Amino acid sequence: MLAAMLRREFLQWGALGCATPLMSRAAERAPEVMTVRGLRPAGELGFVLPHEHVLVDFIGAAEVSPARYDADVAFAKIRPFVEEAKMLGCATMMECTPAFLGRDPRLLVRLSEATGINFVTNTGYYAARQNKFLPAHALSEDADVLAARWQREWRDGIEGMGVRPGFIKLGFDAGALSEVAQKLVRAAARTHRASGLTIAAHTGDDVAALAQIALLGEEKVAPAAWIWVHAQNAK
């Protein structure tokens, strides 16, 4: 049944020119997910926690930096919690902290190597809390330039460290999407079309959620490529 549904969805969206690289390869090999230590067969990820943050820094994009904390101290503090999660059956964590909010792929690699847990990090930007966590260039660059930045991380790795993202993370406040928020959705859609990466969007309410779905439709991206994070905020 699942295979039939996936095939039907692929044919429907492929007819509209919406097939992604991952979709087009579906018939050639089993699905894979990009972890911080490389590709893993999706069927081998085990029990997955889909929305975790091992480290977050709420100082703001203008001041955030790895220099604000000791990586060894952070590793020692976080490791026991990751090990406890593994003991309770978790095998994979989707680490949803985006760039400019404390994303630290090096720390995730250390934790993965030490515990055996798969970590999946992300590309994309977080515009919730009135753009506090957006870098200045995100306000001035257009959607294509932003998408090119995120595609480089997918293609070449994050900050030259060889760690590639496994999904796209966005963040939006409740209510109508601002012009900047709309631009980020379009950039994510274009990154998805180029990479096949799923979009996971922290979203304040159903108004913002429906606006994103509409924009994805304009960008010829299937709704199945998008996850509404914090959907409990609406009925």
Side-chain angles (χ1 to χ4, degrees):
M1 174 65 81
L2 178 59
M5 291 173 63
L6 291 174
R7 180 176 183 275
R8 183 165 63 249
E9 183 181 43
F10 168 74
L11 292 174
Q12 288 171 344
W13 285 92
L16 294 174
C18 302
T20 68
L22 291 186
M23 286 179 177
S24 63
R25 292 197 300 270
E28 300 173 18
R29 66 185 187 190
E32 297 176 305
V33 173
M34 182 62 71
T35 75
V36 297
R37 292 199 288 163
L39 283 170
R40 296 285 187 274
E44 297 179 9
L45 293 181
F47 188 91
V48 178
L49 293 178
H51 186 145
E52 299 301 317
H53 298 276
V54 302
L55 185 149
V56 179
D57 186 348
F58 290 109
I59 191 67
E63 299 176 74
V64 71
S65 166
R68 282 177 38 80
Y69 60 91
D70 185 307
D72 292 332
V73 172
F75 173 79
K77 181 72 173 180
I78 296 164
R79 179 176 179 174
F81 295 99
V82 177
E83 291 176 334
E84 181 179 8
K86 183 179 181 181
M87 181 184 69
L88 294 170
C90 176
T92 301
M93 292 186 186
M94 311 297 287
E95 215 292 332
C96 293
T97 304
F100 300 98
L101 221 164
R103 181 184 66 174
D104 189 340
R106 289 184 179 86
L107 178 61
L108 297 181
V109 171
R110 283 183 71 182
L111 289 167
S112 182
E113 290 175 343
T115 67
I117 289 276
N118 296 309
F119 281 100
V120 183
T121 190
N122 62 84
T123 191
Y125 291 156
Y126 188 91
R129 299 199 182 185
Q130 294 77 50
N131 301 334
K132 178 180 179 179
F133 308 109
L134 282 183
H137 65 253
L139 302 176
S140 60
E141 294 178 353
D142 65 24
D144 284 329
V145 175
L146 291 172
R149 284 180 178 272
W150 301 344
Q151 289 168 41
R152 279 196 298 274
E153 289 196 331
W154 164 247
R155 184 180 63 247
D156 303 329
I158 297 169
E159 299 174 3
M161 67 184 74
V163 177
R164 296 170 65 192
F167 65 104
I168 303 163
K169 178 67 186 292
L170 303 176
F172 303 114
D173 292 316
L177 296 180
S178 67
E179 289 186 11
V180 171
Q182 293 178 45
K183 179 173 64 176
L184 294 180
V185 175
R186 293 189 185 279
R190 295 167 196 182
T191 302
H192 165 77
R193 292 205 309 264
S195 65
L197 294 176
T198 296
I199 303 163
H202 168 117
T203 301
D205 65 1
D206 51 323
V207 174
L210 291 171
Q212 290 174 70
I213 292 172
L215 288 170
L216 293 174
E218 292 177 12
E219 293 285 334
K220 301 293 191 294
V221 170
W226 174 84
I227 299 167
W228 177 0
V229 179
H230 302 308
Q232 79 278 0
N233 290 333
K235 296 181 180 180

